[in-house]
Structures are given as structure tokens and as C-alpha cells.
Amino acid sequence: MVKSLPPRSEISIEETWNLESLMASPEAFDATLEEIDQETAAYAEKFQGQITDAQSALEALEAYLTIAEKLVAPGTYVSLSYSTDQTDTKAQMRAGKYSAFSAKIGSRLAFVTSELLELPEDTLKQAMSESKEFEGYLKKLLRKKPHQLHPAAEKALASYSSVFQAPYELYNTTKMVDMDFPDFEAGGKSHPLSYVSFEGDWEAETDTELRRAAFKAFSDKLRDYQHTTAKTYDMQLQTEKTTADLRGYEDIFEYLLFNQEVDRTLYDRQIDLIQTELAPHMRKYARLLQKAHGLDKMTFADLKISLDPEYDPEITVEESKQYINDALGIMGTDYLNMVERSYDERWIDFAQNKGKSTGAFCASPYGDHPYILISWTGRMNEVFVLAHELGHAGHFYHANREQNLFNARPSLYFIEAPSTMNEMLVANHLLKNSEDPKFKRWVISSIVARTYYHNFVTHLLEASYQREVYKKIDAGENVNAGVLNELKRGVLEEFWGDDVEVTEGAELTWMRQPHYYMGLYPYTYSAGLTISTQVSKRILAEGQPAVDGWIGVLNAGGTKTPVELSKMAGVDITTEQPLRDTIAYIGELIDELERLTEEIEQQN
């Protein structure tokens, strides 16, 4: 039974993460900002106007790296504190204070990049040859040279950084603070509703009347805020378009893909191939769900239900440890030690409470350990969610240890490969340990419904919609709620065809996703899962050599491009073959679900 969410103050400390290694107290946070303020002022006094040759460039970068490392802890502390309870006034004010402080420091230090890029290219190349530590940083900096503005303009833009972040913060405030969901009626009873309970429970509720009533109530509340949310999103889009034009990019897509270090062909291929070639497989899956549940029709509100609800057992946090350890054991003792510590040292926030961010994420601050946010409902599929976030944790546990701060983070295009890899390892482990057709069907349906549906369908349809939005913005247009609703409904109807009725309210799904405030992020989920699907097959076939190769990829962090990292892992993403193979694999899984269902029905 879904219950109303308690305030954060009533949550047991064992369910929460421990942020003390980041910042011992709010007072320590204030003291840290004061220290950084003084240190950056002294840095500017020493280096501004003095970066004139390779030696002074490297000296300035060495001290700059130290400051950048010190900024990590307070920034992460305010973000994580706020994410667990966005109704907390003190956390709100602290986040606002840091945002303004960060803008001030960014403006003060903007001269570093400007002065480096004013040096002759030969001087920068000399610095690169003399310092392996900063070679990667300077190489990426040189790529940006054509898009660098006058130093005064760069300083001014840095001063406005907190303003540029405002749409995302406004979106979260609307979603997590102002939006209050009333109870809804179904089956003659009243039921509580919230963002967390809808996405964690009601979407997967097996009682059709309850599930569809929850969807309607949820959508009705979203609709009340559609115009404010659309205006907030348009502010974000116009800022991105202005920045792209100001910096001389060909279009907004080139600007947003630039830091991902991939070209437009990889982006478009990921969307186009999945839209056309995965759709028939997923429509077959939708028909299978409809038949299994005896539904009068298949609607958008029914797509998250389990194929076999009886095989969706509840699981405690403590019980999840064994599944995670057994599945990820192939990654080695060092990796498993990281997993063990994440439970024992409270790196994970499991609580469900009012004001907590929806979904799940992993933050991996340099110089500290990773932190994972999840709202644990006790459903077995959350083992996959936790494994996913531990994949991010394991990635940066390795990369942060092996690389400096400037080299640790890879392109956004690759960021979801290590996370989805862990989901594949969980699935492979579970499949390997049972021949029971009902259990096998449950595992495969979990792979399809959780791993592939979430990453290949949900996020890909977001990406397809997002591309249409950006096309309008690139053409000099604005968007409002009506335009966004129409675009979202069009993408959903194209993908699902006549097999799924796109329920009224489904068009408002664009309001639920914070990824739209993070550039071209949604498509990278399917990109990462394409890579991890192929690597997980290698691990199954080759064992330890493939694992060792994958650990090497994690260690490399951001020192290589997505294409180079993928090749290290044995996958060539410059061709469409890995994506076609992955789509074919999803089709095979759905065919196997049909076969197992027939076998089970014959036995009964």
C-alpha cells in the first residue's frame, strides 16, 4: 500500500547518506567559502597578466587545479543537501549562496582560459609536450579557441553563470516545492499521490483501475503548471541558442555536441535507427503486456506494468546487497570493496520523503567517495536501479583515483555506458542461475522493462522530442505549452503506432524530465547502453580479459574521446553495427518472452 511521504525530519538516519566527509557542518561550509574567496583573490593577484609562456602557463595551471579541487566539496555539499529535501529553507538559501559565490569566483578566474588562449598555438603545444598532466586539458582548450570571446566578454558571462542556471532551479522548485498532489479516488477509496509515489509505485500498479486513475490525477496536476514550466524551459532554450550564436557555432546542435566530442551523425543515427527499427519490437512487447493482463486496450498509462506481477517480489535494502555482490563479483575485489563501503559507510540515500528529488542519481565528487540518491520502494527492479548508479560510482571511483580533476570526467556520450553495464551484469547473473521458466521470464521482462525500456525507449523518445524542439529554436522560434504538448504527443504516437493509445495527459510527460536542462543528454542513455550491451557480451564470452579491458576503460576517465574509449572496450561506434546488434538483441529478448509465456501457459 502506497503511503503519504513523511517529512525529512522523521526519516531514520540509517536510510540517509552521511555528508560529513564533504563538509562537517554548515559552519564549516561558510568557512570554506571564505578560505576559497581569499585564495582565489591571491591567485588572481599573482597570475593575472602574467601567463606569457609555457612555463608560466603550467605554473598557473598547477595552482588553478588546486583551487578547482577545493571548489568540489562545497558545491557537492549544497547540491546533495538540497536534493534530499527541496522544501528545506536553509538548504535553499545555502544553495543560492553557493550559486552566487560560484559565479563570483568564475568571473574572477575567467582570465585563466582567456590568457592561455591568447598565447601562440606553438606555446601551448610546448606546454603540452612538457606536462603530461595538463596535456589533455590544453588539448581540449585548443579546440575551444575558435569559439572564445574577448576576455571582458568571458568575464561578464562568467559573472552571470548563476542567472544562466536559474531555469533549472526554477523547474525544480516548481516540481518539488510548489506542486502538491491531492489524494485521488479509485475503487471507492482515497489514495495518496506524489511525484515519488507515482514514478515509484503507481505507474507499475497491477490494478488497472488504480493505475489509470493515478495517471489521470498525476497528469491533471501537471497540467496546472504546464504554462509556467513551458516558459521556464523556453528560457533555457533561448539562453542556449544565444550562447551558440554568440560563440560562432554553426547551430545549436554543434554547440551542444561540442563538449561531447562526437559529431552530429552519431547523434542523429542513435535517434533515427531506434525510432524506426526498435519500434516494431516494442509494439510487440506492448501487445504481450496487454494479453497477459487481459486489458481492454493498451494505453500509455499501462506501459510500465510488470509482465508477471507475481514474480516481482519485494526486497529490502539489506537483501539487495547479496544480489549486487553476486552479480558484480566478476568486476573484482577492488570493485566489490567499493560496493561494500557504499552500504556500510552510508554513501546511499534510500529514504522516501517529501521534497526529495525524483529518480536516482550518483554524484562522484573528486577527492571524496561517490554518493547515490534513490527512493527505495522495495520493488525488486530497484536492484537494477541501484546497480546502475553503482556503475557510475565504480566508474568515477576508478577514474578519480587514476586521473587528475581535469582528466577524470569523460564525454557525456560515454557517461551511461558503465552504469548500464552493471544492469547487464545483474541480468546475466540472474539468468545464469535458474532454469525455471517463470523466473527466467521475470528476469528477461525486467531487462526489457527496466534496462531497455528506460534507457532505449523512455530516454530515446525524450531525445527525439528534444531534437524537434531544438530545430524550432534554431529557426528562431519560441515554444509554449501547446507547442511542446503537440511535439511530445507526435513523437509518442509515431513510435507506438496503433498498438498503444496515447492517453490524454501523456503529452505532458515532457514536464517530468530534468535532463532537458542538461543539453543533449537523453540520447546518451541509449548510446551508453549500446556500448555496454556489446561489452557485456564480450565479458560473458571471454571472462577476465574482457573485464580487465573494461577496468582499463574506467581508469582512463576523460583522457580519450568516446570513440577511443569504445574501441578500448572492443566496440566501434563509428559504424551503425553495434546499435543494430543491440536492437536485434532486444528483439530476441522479446521473442523469448513470448516463447516462455506460451510454455508457462501450456504448463498451467
Side-chain angles (χ1 to χ4, degrees):
M1 171 62 73
V2 178
K3 299 177 181 178
S4 296
L5 295 178
R8 183 74 174 179
S9 59
E10 294 179 9
I11 297 297
S12 166
I13 195 170
E14 287 77 18
E15 295 180 55
T16 67
W17 52 27
N18 180 5
L19 302 182
E20 287 184 4
S21 65
L22 278 172
M23 208 59 62
S25 65
E27 292 74 26
F29 168 76
D30 292 333
T32 300
L33 294 199
E34 180 61 34
E35 179 187 326
I36 293 172
D37 192 19
Q38 293 175 10
E39 190 170 333
T40 52
Y43 177 90
E45 179 72 25
K46 179 178 179 180
F47 288 105
Q48 191 159 9
Q50 303 302 314
I51 304 175
T52 56
D53 54 23
Q55 184 179 344
S56 58
L58 293 174
E59 187 183 347
L61 279 174
E62 192 72 47
Y64 187 57
L65 176 59
T66 301
I67 291 172
E69 289 174 351
K70 288 184 178 179
L71 282 164
V72 171
T76 307
Y77 174 71
V78 295
S79 174
L80 297 188
S81 300
Y82 187 47
S83 68
T84 53
D85 186 3
Q86 295 182 38
T87 66
D88 183 340
T89 303
K90 289 182 179 178
Q92 288 177 13
M93 298 304 290
R94 201 159 46 236
K97 177 179 180 178
Y98 183 77
S99 181
F101 174 80
S102 179
K104 172 185 170 183
I105 300 302
S107 178
R108 180 181 287 167
L109 300 180
F111 76 88
V112 179
T113 299
S114 294
E115 291 191 19
L116 285 170
L117 286 179
E118 284 176 342
L119 293 174
E121 191 169 325
D122 286 346
T123 302
L124 288 177
K125 287 181 176 177
Q126 180 188 342
M128 290 165 63
S129 68
E130 292 177 6
S131 173
K132 189 163 181 63
E133 183 176 20
F134 296 114
E135 180 185 6
Y137 177 83
L138 290 170
K139 184 179 179 182
K140 289 178 181 178
L141 200 62
L142 270 173
R143 281 187 73 229
K144 294 181 179 179
K145 192 176 179 71
H147 306 290
Q148 184 75 2
L149 304 176
H150 186 277
E154 292 292 349
K155 184 178 176 64
L157 287 174
S159 299
Y160 278 98
S161 61
S162 62
V163 178
F164 297 149
Q165 293 165 12
Y168 179 51
E169 293 169 2
L170 180 57
Y171 165 79
N172 278 323
T173 301
T174 303
K175 175 179 174 180
M176 301 308 304
V177 181
D178 284 345
M179 210 176 283
D180 190 20
F181 293 87
D183 293 352
F184 68 95
E185 301 290 326
K189 294 181 181 178
S190 182
H191 305 275
L193 183 64
S194 67
Y195 243 109
V196 171
S197 67
F198 178 74
E199 294 188 343
D201 288 294
W202 292 124
E203 263 193 318
E205 169 61 47
T206 54
D207 184 307
T208 300
E209 182 187 356
L210 259 179
R211 181 178 64 255
R212 291 179 178 175
F215 181 87
K216 183 180 184 307
F218 184 75
S219 300
D220 287 346
K221 178 52 67 174
L222 289 183
R223 192 174 287 107
D224 290 342
Y225 289 85
Q226 63 178 320
H227 299 295
T228 300
T229 307
K231 190 63 181 175
T232 301
Y233 184 34
D234 190 55
M235 287 165 55
Q236 172 75 20
L237 295 166
Q238 299 304 329
T239 300
E240 290 171 335
K241 172 60 176 169
T242 300
T243 304
D245 291 344
L246 197 63
R247 292 195 176 280
Y249 288 94
E250 184 179 326
D251 55 31
I252 200 167
F253 293 98
E254 185 191 19
Y255 164 59
L256 293 173
L257 288 170
F258 185 84
N259 284 338
Q260 292 187 22
E261 299 178 289
V262 294
D263 61 36
R264 180 77 181 268
T265 56
L266 270 70
Y267 167 74
D268 284 331
R269 182 176 69 209
Q270 204 70 26
I271 296 173
D272 294 337
L273 268 181
I274 294 176
Q275 273 280 49
T276 55
E277 300 196 10
L278 181 62
H281 296 306
M282 295 310 300
R283 290 174 189 174
K284 181 190 288 190
Y285 175 67
R287 293 194 296 271
L288 183 60
L289 282 178
Q290 181 181 357
K291 181 182 176 184
H293 286 266
L295 299 178
D296 56 332
K297 59 184 177 181
M298 193 66 187
T299 76
F300 185 81
D302 303 320
L303 285 167
K304 293 293 182 75
I305 53 179
S306 171
L307 181 60
D308 187 355
E310 294 176 12
Y311 252 89
D312 193 11
E314 292 190 356
I315 184 168
T316 66
V317 167
E318 188 61 32
E319 289 167 341
S320 72
K321 287 183 184 180
Q322 195 61 51
Y323 284 98
I324 296 287
N325 281 330
D326 290 348
L328 303 185
I330 193 170
M331 295 294 287
T333 53
D334 184 37
Y335 198 97
L336 278 189
N337 178 58
M338 182 273 299
V339 172
E340 194 70 29
R341 288 181 63 199
S342 71
Y343 282 96
D344 295 346
E345 298 175 18
R346 290 175 46 216
W347 297 2
I348 308 171
D349 199 275
F350 291 101
Q352 289 193 67
N353 61 264
K354 289 179 181 175
K356 185 173 179 178
S357 292
T358 57
F361 68 73
C362 176
S364 299
Y366 194 87
D368 199 10
H369 59 71
Y371 294 85
I372 291 171
L373 179 141
I374 185 172
S375 295
W376 193 264
T377 62
R379 292 182 184 273
M380 183 66 182
N381 74 346
E382 283 178 342
V383 172
F384 285 90
V385 180
L386 186 52
H388 177 105
E389 300 308 333
L390 284 166
H392 286 305
H395 188 185
F396 289 101
Y397 180 77
H398 283 81
N400 288 350
R401 191 173 59 188
E402 298 296 324
Q403 307 296 337
N404 71 30
L405 175 60
F406 293 158
N407 292 338
R409 191 170 186 84
S411 157
L412 198 62
Y413 185 94
F414 193 83
I415 214 80
E416 295 298 337
S419 53
T420 52
M421 164 62 86
N422 277 15
E423 293 189 53
M424 298 306 300
L425 293 178
V426 169
N428 290 339
H429 169 73
L430 292 173
L431 281 175
K432 193 169 62 176
N433 285 280
S434 177
E435 288 302 318
D436 174 40
K438 277 202 153 189
F439 182 76
K440 287 183 74 173
R441 181 173 70 167
W442 173 78
V443 173
I444 294 172
S445 66
S446 294
I447 303 170
V448 173
R450 159 59 216 172
T451 302
Y452 285 109
Y453 187 101
H454 186 67
N455 297 300
F456 251 77
V457 180
T458 300
H459 288 315
L460 200 282
L461 292 180
E462 290 164 3
S464 184
Y465 151 83
Q466 187 184 41
R467 184 170 63 174
E468 297 309 307
V469 171
Y470 277 125
K471 284 179 183 177
K472 286 186 174 295
I473 300 302
D474 224 28
E477 299 178 33
N478 289 73
V479 294
N480 59 21
V483 170
L484 296 174
N485 290 343
E486 183 182 350
L487 289 176
K488 188 63 182 178
R489 175 170 286 278
V491 166
L492 293 174
E493 289 177 343
E494 180 187 352
F495 187 83
W496 292 110
D498 296 331
D499 293 291
V500 177
E501 179 184 298
V502 179
T503 324
E504 184 180 352
E507 71 280 1
L508 298 167
T509 307
W510 63 267
M511 294 178 64
R512 295 164 55 182
Q513 186 50 270
H515 290 161
Y516 297 138
Y517 297 82
M518 303 172 190
L520 298 178
Y521 187 17
Y523 91 102
T524 66
Y525 279 85
S526 63
L529 186 51
T530 298
I531 297 164
S532 61
T533 297
Q534 300 310 312
V535 178
S536 68
K537 287 183 177 181
R538 281 194 63 208
I539 288 176
L540 276 178
E542 301 172 23
Q544 198 60 47
V547 172
D548 293 342
W550 185 242
I551 295 293
V553 171
L554 303 185
N555 286 337
T559 59
K560 297 180 183 298
T561 67
V563 169
E564 291 167 340
L565 288 170
S566 301
K567 282 186 177 175
M568 277 182 73
V571 183
D572 184 1
I573 60 171
T574 63
T575 74
E576 62 183 31
Q577 200 57 47
L579 180 54
R580 287 190 178 278
D581 289 346
T582 301
I583 292 172
Y585 176 66
I586 298 170
E588 290 166 11
L589 290 175
I590 293 170
D591 289 345
E592 180 68 0
L593 284 179
E594 281 193 323
R595 189 194 68 75
L596 286 167
T597 299
E598 289 176 9
E599 181 183 335
I600 291 163
E601 287 173 351
Q602 289 171 3
Q603 290 176 353
N604 292 339

